[in-house]
Amino acid sequence: MKKQVLDIETVSEIVEMALSDKASFHDILTLHGLGADEVKSLMRRSLKPGSYRAWRRRVRQFSDRREVYK
């Protein structure tokens, strides 16, 4: 699979969407063509380690409470 090269503005928008509680992985896939695993990888590279862990913990908590989330 060929890796997509993203400009800094697009990466920033994806990170903002991923940090938002209103955007799901499906929304990011629709707009930018990145699946959940690719978004997680991008977030791991873009955030500090503690921030990434906090984000993943929050996403997991939301997904446990809602059927369709991240």
Side-chain angles (χ1 to χ4, degrees):
M1 184 170 148
K2 188 176 181 182
K3 287 213 173 199
Q4 185 178 3
V5 177
L6 302 172
D7 60 21
I8 196 159
E9 291 85 15
T10 303
V11 169
S12 179
E13 182 178 345
I14 293 169
V15 168
E16 185 177 336
M17 287 179 73
L19 289 172
S20 166
D21 292 338
K22 296 182 183 196
S24 68
F25 285 131
H26 184 267
D27 296 337
I28 296 170
L29 176 64
T30 302
L31 288 174
H32 297 287
L34 295 177
D37 290 337
E38 294 166 315
V39 172
K40 291 174 194 173
S41 176
L42 176 76
M43 294 296 282
R44 185 179 294 263
R45 290 190 311 268
S46 301
L47 299 176
K48 294 178 183 177
S51 298
Y52 175 78
R53 286 191 299 271
W55 173 73
R56 287 296 299 140
R57 189 172 31 252
R58 193 175 85 242
V59 168
R60 275 190 227 108
Q61 288 172 349
F62 272 106
S63 67
D64 290 344
R65 288 184 286 189
R66 297 183 191 170
E67 184 176 321
V68 178
Y69 189 64
K70 294 184 182 172

